[in-house]
Amino acid sequence: METSNFANYTRVEPDLEEIQKRYNVLFERIHSATDSEACLAAVKDWDRLLQELTEWSQLTQTRFYQDTENPDYKAAQDRLDFIWPKYLDLETQMKRKFLESPFRADLQKATSPQLFNLWQCKIQTFDPKIEEDLTKESKLSSEYTALIATAQLDFNGKSLTLSEIGQYFEDPNRATRKLAYEVRSAWFANNAASLDQIYDKQVQLRDSMARKLGCQNFIELGYQRMPRIGYGPEEVSAFRAEVKREVVPLCNHLATAQAQKLGVETLMHWDESIYNPNGNPKPQGGHDWMIERAREMFKQMGHGLDGFFENMLTQGLLDLKSRKGKGAGGFCAFFPLLSYPFIFANFNGTRADVNVFTHEMGHAFQVWSSRRLPMSEMAWPTTEACEIHSMALEFLSWPWMGLFYGEKAAEELRKIHLTSSIMFIPYGVSIDLFQHMVYEHPEASPEDRNAMWQEIEQTYLPWYHYGELSAPSSGRLWQMKQHIYSSPFYYIDYTLALTGALQFWRKSQVNHELALTDYVQLCRRGGTLPFSALLESAGLHSPFSEGCLKNVIADARRYLF
Ligand code: ZN
């Protein structure tokens, strides 16, 4: 890394005209290429250009998330939203040329057939006639992000962000938890009109884009955009059936056990995140202390995670503390020119903070492990595969949980982690099914959408009880999920990946070292293969094969009861 610290890293916005010129030169080179070497050289030069654009766009987005109230960052983000479709247009033209090249077979061999499958899928998702729509779509997503990030909630005399109030969801005092949920619910109820309006505009816009591109509806386009290779809505529906059959009954059982342990008659919404009447195990120190524990954990884990984490620290590639104006949530971005990822999170003093080291570090380590693959686009696999790396590392770090929680609490923590992971699966498929229903009926009103959500809850989340909480009891829980606004059809990824990650958990119960070795190998494969093939390469069952959850759920039941 040339700059000493990521905090000082800047990129100048590329000049559109100049980029267009570079593209024209590349187009000409492909057009006049007389052999595959010449064509491949053009591919490589184009990859360098893409890296520059990615570097700038990732940095712009990251800075905006780091401080959504900074007018310069906001202006740069707006500029990016406006200009990006133009770059997308050029990129799509380029991919089309490679797909149609007489040297395609050689190019595929030198890079990867998966890359060409992805391009085939991606080129169908863009046409200059939707360029303006894409700009509008990004703006609407940014509107949601800013609305959520600037929320100020009054809680017991304190002013908190939506991220910060999350720490009280695990408060041992039931009345405090309930109040925290009420305050959050009230904010969502008060902002319901804006939240409805943003989503309504997004649904109409996405449906209209799909139709302009010749798709039946946005479901088809949404799958292409992800992009889904080798499976479609039918396979996802089969997975949903498996979840209903295998997972929902165990979740009902787990919810009853949780209520008993807490000594409450019914597990209410404000009890869902708490597993011990005295409070969940909490990391025993703050931000700086946890960094040191994480350092120790990765040092012992080895396999390259040790040195990698050290470098992330030295280069200032972690921004984990919560503060006013900072965007919500957590993510990992990759900077191809720095050859390093960056981790963004909002610490709130709960076990979620430890997840950052295990989940986001999984993403970061994977993309870094794949940084030298022939094309930068192959550094990341498709997103459902990406989440295997993150979630599997959460399970593979089980032996070191004592460092964060103390040995006594660590075992309780492991059970909580496994329980909450399992109970997440039906929620994840619900968020996904909701979007299928919404985009199948774009004409539905905001009220209709809330009714759709409630119908889903009855099937997949029968243990949810909201009491008087106004927003969720009127079918608005889905509005708290950023992915629904910003990343349509993304959410199922977490459940598909969890099916893979839980298999790593099973493996690690038998032989941890072997599981870790397989994990690192999988990280290095990056995006060279489609999802199912990546699973297969690591000896894992596909979530679309019948019975994929049976063994894992049976083992989890044995571990937990
Ligand atoms: Zn993730």
Side-chain angles (χ1 to χ4, degrees):
M1 185 156 157
E2 283 158 24
T3 43
S4 56
N5 195 295
F6 182 73
N8 307 320
Y9 189 46
T10 52
R11 296 290 300 179
V12 177
E13 186 192 325
D15 179 63
L16 178 61
E17 244 174 75
E18 150 91 24
I19 299 288
Q20 256 160 348
K21 271 188 209 149
R22 283 170 69 184
Y23 259 102
N24 287 339
V25 171
L26 287 165
F27 290 156
E28 183 46 40
R29 279 173 64 189
I30 294 157
H31 183 71
S32 58
T34 49
D35 54 30
S36 56
E37 281 77 34
C39 208
L40 187 63
V43 173
K44 293 277 180 191
D45 288 342
W46 170 59
D47 190 51
R48 170 72 202 193
L49 192 157
L50 274 188
Q51 290 182 37
E52 289 171 31
L53 292 173
T54 305
E55 194 87 349
W56 161 70
S57 77
Q58 290 291 295
L59 191 62
T60 304
Q61 281 176 23
T62 299
R63 294 296 185 229
F64 173 60
Y65 262 84
Q66 286 184 294
D67 185 359
T68 60
E69 289 170 3
N70 180 317
D72 294 340
Y73 294 162
K74 174 79 175 74
Q77 177 67 43
D78 286 347
R79 174 89 191 129
L80 172 66
D81 288 344
F82 169 74
I83 205 91
W84 195 250
K86 298 195 192 304
Y87 290 123
L88 206 55
D89 180 19
L90 290 164
E91 195 182 316
T92 307
Q93 288 181 44
M94 192 61 143
K95 288 176 179 171
R96 200 162 266 141
K97 290 194 194 304
F98 287 131
L99 287 164
E100 289 160 4
S101 163
F103 308 111
R104 176 174 167 166
D106 287 342
L107 293 178
Q108 258 180 234
K109 228 196 291 164
T111 57
S112 122
Q114 164 71 355
L115 204 54
F116 281 75
N117 288 336
L118 289 172
W119 292 351
Q120 190 72 57
C121 212
K122 282 270 179 178
I123 60 162
Q124 296 169 52
T125 68
F126 182 80
D127 188 287
K129 64 187 167 208
I130 63 157
E131 200 180 300
E132 240 174 74
D133 295 339
L134 288 171
T135 306
K136 280 189 209 156
E137 192 189 13
S138 310
K139 272 201 144 158
L140 287 165
S141 294
S142 301
E143 236 180 82
Y144 177 86
T145 305
L147 182 64
I148 296 287
T150 53
Q152 288 293 302
L153 313 179
D154 289 328
F155 181 78
N156 284 342
K158 278 175 266 186
S159 178
L160 303 177
T161 64
L162 278 166
S163 298
E164 286 166 337
I165 203 161
Q167 65 191 290
Y168 297 99
F169 297 165
E170 296 193 14
D171 198 284
N173 185 320
R174 201 178 193 205
T176 306
R177 286 201 304 273
K178 191 177 177 206
L179 181 65
Y181 271 88
E182 276 166 359
V183 168
R184 180 177 69 162
S185 165
W187 188 88
F188 276 91
N190 290 337
N191 289 276
S194 310
L195 292 162
D196 279 344
Q197 205 181 37
I198 295 172
Y199 196 51
D200 203 56
K201 283 187 194 164
Q202 284 179 323
V203 172
Q204 303 315 323
L205 190 64
R206 286 172 182 155
D207 182 65
S208 124
M209 277 194 276
R211 285 169 202 279
K212 283 183 196 169
L213 292 172
C215 297
Q216 198 194 343
N217 55 34
F218 184 72
I219 302 173
E220 197 183 333
L221 178 58
Y223 271 66
Q224 285 170 0
R225 289 210 311 194
M226 277 310 296
R228 305 286 177 206
I229 305 278
Y231 64 94
E234 239 170 76
E235 284 77 9
V236 172
S237 167
F239 174 65
R240 216 153 40 221
E242 179 88 4
V243 170
K244 195 170 153 190
R245 192 168 50 237
E246 300 291 341
V247 189
V248 174
L250 177 58
C251 290
N252 279 325
H253 194 167
L254 287 167
T256 309
Q258 196 176 338
Q260 271 166 4
K261 187 154 191 216
L262 294 175
V264 299
E265 203 176 316
T266 307
L267 190 79
M268 298 302 291
H269 198 42
W270 48 90
D271 301 320
E272 279 167 23
S273 309
I274 187 121
Y275 299 86
N276 182 322
N278 301 316
N280 293 338
K282 269 189 186 182
Q284 294 174 337
H287 173 272
D288 298 355
W289 181 88
M290 284 213 284
I291 297 258
E292 286 311 311
R293 301 287 84 71
R295 190 179 229 160
E296 184 57 33
M297 170 172 75
F298 291 122
K299 207 169 122 194
Q300 291 183 25
M301 213 183 277
H303 287 271
L305 280 141
D306 38 358
F308 170 68
F309 186 68
E310 283 299 324
N311 288 339
M312 292 281 287
L313 282 180
T314 328
Q315 297 171 17
L317 291 161
L318 306 165
D319 178 358
L320 312 176
K321 285 183 185 167
S322 185
R323 58 179 177 266
K324 189 171 159 286
K326 189 171 168 179
F331 63 82
C332 167
F334 183 59
F335 294 90
L337 298 180
L338 290 179
S339 262
Y340 261 93
F342 166 82
I343 295 178
F344 176 96
N346 282 279
F347 270 15
N348 65 6
T350 70
R351 66 197 162 89
D353 297 352
V354 179
N355 275 11
V356 171
F357 293 119
T358 55
H359 184 102
E360 297 303 339
M361 261 294 282
H363 286 308
F365 180 68
Q366 179 275 309
V367 71
W368 179 79
S369 302
S370 314
R371 69 197 182 284
R372 297 219 174 91
L373 289 171
M375 297 282 286
S376 60
E377 216 181 320
M378 289 156 71
W380 290 111
T382 43
T383 49
E384 76 288 62
C386 279
E387 297 300 340
I388 301 179
H389 306 111
S390 53
M391 292 179 170
L393 193 60
E394 291 179 35
F395 288 109
L396 292 170
S397 49
W398 269 22
W400 293 278
M401 286 301 102
L403 285 172
F404 296 93
Y405 297 96
E407 281 312 325
K408 215 176 130 241
E411 183 51 23
E412 186 188 357
L413 188 277
R414 290 179 196 114
K415 288 196 166 146
I416 292 175
H417 178 207
L418 187 58
T419 301
S420 58
S421 299
I422 287 167
M423 290 178 94
F424 169 79
I425 298 176
Y427 169 76
V429 304
S430 298
I431 294 285
D432 179 67
L433 176 57
F434 174 70
Q435 297 177 77
H436 280 89
M437 289 169 81
V438 164
Y439 292 110
E440 205 172 306
H441 295 285
E443 75 290 350
S445 68
E447 292 73 29
D448 293 339
R449 287 188 199 117
N450 296 342
M452 287 172 185
W453 173 256
Q454 285 178 315
E455 187 192 320
I456 295 168
E457 278 182 338
Q458 280 169 14
T459 310
Y460 290 93
L461 304 162
W463 66 92
Y464 273 29
H465 298 287
Y466 299 123
E468 315 268 279
L469 297 177
S470 56
S473 61
S474 53
R476 293 188 174 278
L477 190 78
W478 63 269
Q479 298 196 318
M480 300 177 189
K481 193 41 69 194
Q482 167 154 22
H483 298 71
I484 289 184
Y485 287 84
S486 312
S487 315
F489 291 108
Y490 187 106
Y491 214 66
I492 195 70
D493 288 356
Y494 294 113
T495 66
L496 299 177
L498 197 46
T499 309
L502 282 166
Q503 294 178 66
F504 268 112
W505 167 73
R506 274 190 91 209
K507 272 192 191 192
S508 72
Q509 292 296 102
V510 181
N511 185 337
H512 189 275
E513 191 53 26
L514 188 65
L516 198 53
T517 306
D518 286 353
Y519 172 78
V520 172
Q521 289 301 327
L522 181 66
C523 287
R524 288 191 188 140
R525 256 167 242 137
T528 52
L529 296 169
F531 176 57
S532 297
L534 279 174
L535 285 166
E536 211 176 298
S537 77
L540 308 171
H541 296 291
S542 158
F544 310 124
S545 59
E546 208 182 312
C548 63
L549 284 162
K550 215 180 169 83
N551 291 337
V552 162
I553 292 298
D555 280 4
R557 199 185 279 271
R558 266 194 293 278
Y559 191 91
L560 295 169
F561 288 102

